[in-house]
Amino acid sequence: MGGMPNVPAAPAVPRRDQIRKEAARLFAARGFLGVGVDEIGKAVGISGPALYRHFSGKDAMLADLLIGISERLLEEGRRRAGEATAPDGALDALVVGHVDFALDDRDLITLHDRELLHLKEEDRRRVRRLQRAYVELWVEVVRQTYPTLAEPTAEPTARTAVHAVFGLLNSTPHSADRTGLSRSAMAGLLRALAQGAFAAAADQSA
């Protein structure tokens, strides 16, 4: 009789990442002020005080989550745009990346919408700087993609379109579970809607 095949065990999720995930889930569900350190510890199977080996407190967890996702979006966006061989490919890569974020990191979108005010001023400024850089990346790529939006007078239209698309994509946490669409169908729809918004902005500027 043959033995069971050797199946490699799934790598363990680092404790710090477990804490991040559960803190984001709990903060999004009940609000930053409504969650205690002990509850986060219980969710990952450790005592509340043991969390302090990984984070100095709830404030540090929130800052880590919001600064971390802002850094990740910017770095990933720059990578995607840099690897594209044409402006329209760069724009589509940015859209696809943000759609994935919106569908897979809903708790972080909720946190940003509701809990940014609870960050320390220095951390809040850092998040804002990262967000501005992310917006500027999109505006630059959109204007490279559509010649009519590259005109100096069309810059406000391009910028408005970028913010509108962010609003569209980031609204996903509030609607995704109620649509009945599969993830792939939702991703395809959001991608098409975003591209349509930019094309409409370009047409208006023509």
Side-chain angles (χ1 to χ4, degrees):
M1 180 181 296
M4 293 294 290
N6 292 325
V7 178
V13 178
R15 181 69 75 188
R16 189 176 174 90
D17 290 340
Q18 294 176 13
I19 295 170
R20 285 189 180 106
K21 180 178 179 181
E22 291 304 318
R25 180 182 66 81
L26 290 168
F27 291 160
R30 294 169 47 195
F32 176 73
L33 298 179
V35 178
V37 170
D38 288 342
E39 294 171 85
I40 299 171
K42 182 178 179 181
V44 297
I46 61 177
S47 67
L51 283 177
Y52 293 108
R53 299 191 195 120
H54 304 277
F55 294 96
S56 61
K58 276 202 321 176
D59 289 348
M61 291 180 210
L62 184 63
D64 179 87
L65 289 167
L66 293 180
I67 293 172
I69 190 55
S70 299
E71 289 176 336
R72 194 182 92 199
L73 282 172
L74 179 57
E75 291 169 4
E76 179 70 7
R78 285 173 171 167
R79 183 191 66 77
R80 286 173 175 267
E83 291 178 353
T85 57
D88 58 342
L91 181 57
D92 190 55
L94 287 177
V95 169
V96 169
H98 200 95
V99 166
D100 286 343
F101 161 65
L103 293 177
D104 298 334
D105 291 289
R106 301 181 202 175
D107 288 341
L108 292 176
I109 292 177
T110 300
L111 282 190
H112 181 272
D113 287 346
R114 298 178 183 170
E115 310 296 346
L116 188 61
L117 76 162
H118 293 301
L119 287 182
K120 295 177 181 178
E121 181 62 27
E122 179 182 353
D123 291 332
R124 189 159 57 245
R125 286 199 300 267
R126 185 175 176 187
V127 170
R128 293 298 192 195
R129 284 195 300 269
L130 291 164
Q131 289 176 332
R132 286 195 294 270
Y134 188 57
V135 169
E136 293 307 317
L137 172 65
W138 277 68
V139 171
E140 179 181 355
V141 171
V142 167
R143 298 185 75 197
Q144 290 173 350
T145 302
Y146 294 99
T148 57
L149 293 175
E151 296 296 325
T153 56
E155 191 272 344
T157 300
R159 188 172 300 277
T160 299
V162 167
H163 283 289
V165 167
F166 286 168
L168 166 70
L169 301 182
N170 291 345
S171 68
T172 301
H174 310 295
S175 61
D177 291 334
R178 298 193 295 271
T179 64
L181 293 177
S182 67
R183 187 197 183 285
S184 60
M186 175 67 85
L189 177 59
L190 291 173
R191 182 180 181 183
L193 289 171
Q195 292 286 13
F198 290 128
D203 288 344
Q204 183 173 332
S205 296

